[in-house]
Amino acid sequence: MASLAGHGPNIGHTWVKYVIIGSDGRELPPVCFPSVIASAGRQVAGTLVNAPVAMVAGQGRFWTGLDAQLSGNQISIMSQDRLSDPCYLPALFAGALGRMGHLNGNARGVFVSGLPANQALDATLCQALAARLRAAAAADQIAKLKIIGEPLGLAYGYILDNNGQLIRPELASARLGIVDLGGRTVDLAELLRLALVDGSYRTFDLGAARPLGELATQLSARADRDLTVLDADLAVRDRSLKIGKTVTPLPRGWDRPFVANGEAVVRRIDSVWGRGTQFDAILVGGGGAELEPVAAQITRAYPNAIIVDRPQLAIATGYARLARRIAASLR
């Protein structure tokens, strides 16, 4: 069998991240957009630009990401119900595939995706995610599909290369702590000699959506309109708020909810790991790790903590690298 591409769709609670590593071992430009959908309206004659549409067989046409703002009925599902909804995850996955553009022979491959730690050990939930992904893929696109825990994806992005080979041999005998700062949840896991330590998965509802929601409430008074978590997220990324034609810096104290969130995360980690000195390293990633006020609390509390490269894309990268490792075993 010819070498297959490695696909790493990470459909998070707040952002979709998708990394593909081609059959030649090179990463394609990654995709990242908000986890929001809306039923697509009619194409109107004379419109200069028509937003891309994600098709879900038997369910209809959807706008995804920022394009969903074209509708007044945007949908964002942050609960476990996303796994049973027939439209939500398939539309986001189809939207991600559509944004990848021409794949140059890399459309078919091994796919790895995942669930938060508290869901990843439930076979029924893993099967539900797999079914939602298959619902949006072409019939022969998925050579093999594997669902894992999101913290493992973060670790694999750090320890594997684009061909799925171990690039940090010193970690083969190490004990690692994993902290995934997600949109809705914070996940913990432990690896010992690259194996998951039994019972080490932990999930806390302390994700970035909480401080972002507080900031959205704070900024709404300035904008004179209701702002969403996505609006606040975009404002933090730009370090500014756009009101009409006016762009203003974020107000003094905007980061207080994030500092408090980081402190809460550290308290929960401490309740499980103590000072964390049992680990050779603690790998920290996920979109929340790109929020400096949150990440700073963790690196201050744990000197052995490492913020991985491209934190928001780290899990999707790990999925794609594991997929390439699996692909090599299929030859």
Side-chain angles (χ1 to χ4, degrees):
M1 179 184 292
S3 180
L4 291 167
H7 288 244
N10 177 20
I11 307 177
H13 288 96
T14 52
W15 287 80
V16 175
K17 292 80 61 177
Y18 199 164
V19 171
I20 296 178
I21 299 173
S23 57
D24 59 0
R26 290 186 293 184
E27 182 183 312
L28 280 63
V31 158
C32 186
F33 63 92
S35 301
V36 183
I37 71 170
S39 293
R42 295 183 297 113
Q43 301 285 357
V44 179
T47 301
L48 291 179
V49 176
N50 285 312
V53 171
M55 303 291 297
V56 180
Q59 301 298 328
R61 305 160 65 252
F62 298 90
W63 288 318
T64 60
L66 293 178
D67 293 332
Q69 294 175 338
L70 293 168
S71 168
N73 297 306
Q74 301 170 44
I75 300 171
S76 178
I77 304 177
M78 298 190 72
S79 69
Q80 192 170 297
D81 292 343
R82 67 207 315 258
L83 293 171
S84 57
D85 188 281
C87 304
Y88 185 68
L89 292 179
L92 290 174
F93 183 40
L97 279 169
R99 283 169 170 80
M100 277 293 180
H102 188 56
L103 296 181
N104 297 319
N106 292 308
R108 176 173 165 78
V110 174
F111 287 65
V112 173
S113 192
L115 291 170
N118 66 334
Q119 300 176 10
L121 297 179
D122 188 320
T124 300
L125 297 181
C126 291
Q127 291 165 6
L129 175 57
R132 296 293 168 249
L133 296 180
R134 290 186 183 279
D140 63 344
Q141 190 169 15
I142 300 178
K144 187 176 181 63
L145 173 60
K146 188 174 184 66
I147 306 299
I148 65 173
E150 290 175 350
L152 289 181
L154 197 162
Y156 295 149
Y158 185 76
I159 65 179
L160 300 179
D161 65 14
N162 281 357
N163 292 312
Q165 301 302 306
L166 190 67
I167 55 173
R168 302 179 191 273
E170 72 278 8
L171 298 183
S173 59
R175 190 180 193 103
L176 299 176
I178 315 295
V179 180
D180 169 23
L181 302 174
R184 178 171 177 253
T185 62
V186 172
D187 285 351
L188 306 183
E190 300 177 38
L191 295 183
L192 177 60
R193 295 186 292 276
L194 304 184
L196 179 67
V197 174
D198 187 39
S200 69
Y201 271 164
R202 297 284 192 282
T203 295
F204 309 121
D205 286 329
L206 288 172
R210 179 175 296 188
L212 286 170
E214 294 180 33
L215 180 61
T217 300
Q218 179 184 353
L219 296 179
S220 291
R222 286 176 170 254
D224 197 27
R225 64 181 177 87
D226 290 337
L227 298 179
T228 66
V229 167
L230 174 57
D231 293 324
D233 197 338
L234 297 174
V236 169
R237 290 167 187 269
D238 295 336
R239 290 294 193 273
S240 62
L241 176 65
K242 184 177 181 181
I243 306 173
K245 293 183 178 180
T246 304
V247 178
T248 60
L250 293 179
R252 180 175 299 186
W254 70 267
D255 59 344
R256 288 193 191 108
F258 300 92
V259 172
N261 180 249
E263 292 172 344
V265 170
V266 167
R267 287 194 295 272
R268 296 307 295 269
I269 295 175
D270 182 75
S271 71
V272 178
W273 290 346
R275 296 181 61 191
T277 54
Q278 66 271 36
F279 299 114
D280 295 280
I282 297 174
L283 306 181
V284 183
E290 296 197 357
L291 298 170
E292 192 276 335
V294 176
Q297 304 305 311
I298 297 173
T299 54
R300 184 177 298 118
Y302 302 98
N304 54 343
I306 299 170
I307 306 296
V308 300
D309 291 339
R310 303 189 309 175
Q312 189 171 35
L313 290 171
I315 293 174
T317 301
Y319 290 165
R321 289 177 174 175
L322 176 61
R324 287 281 293 160
R325 185 180 183 91
I326 295 171
S329 70
L330 298 179
R331 296 178 188 174

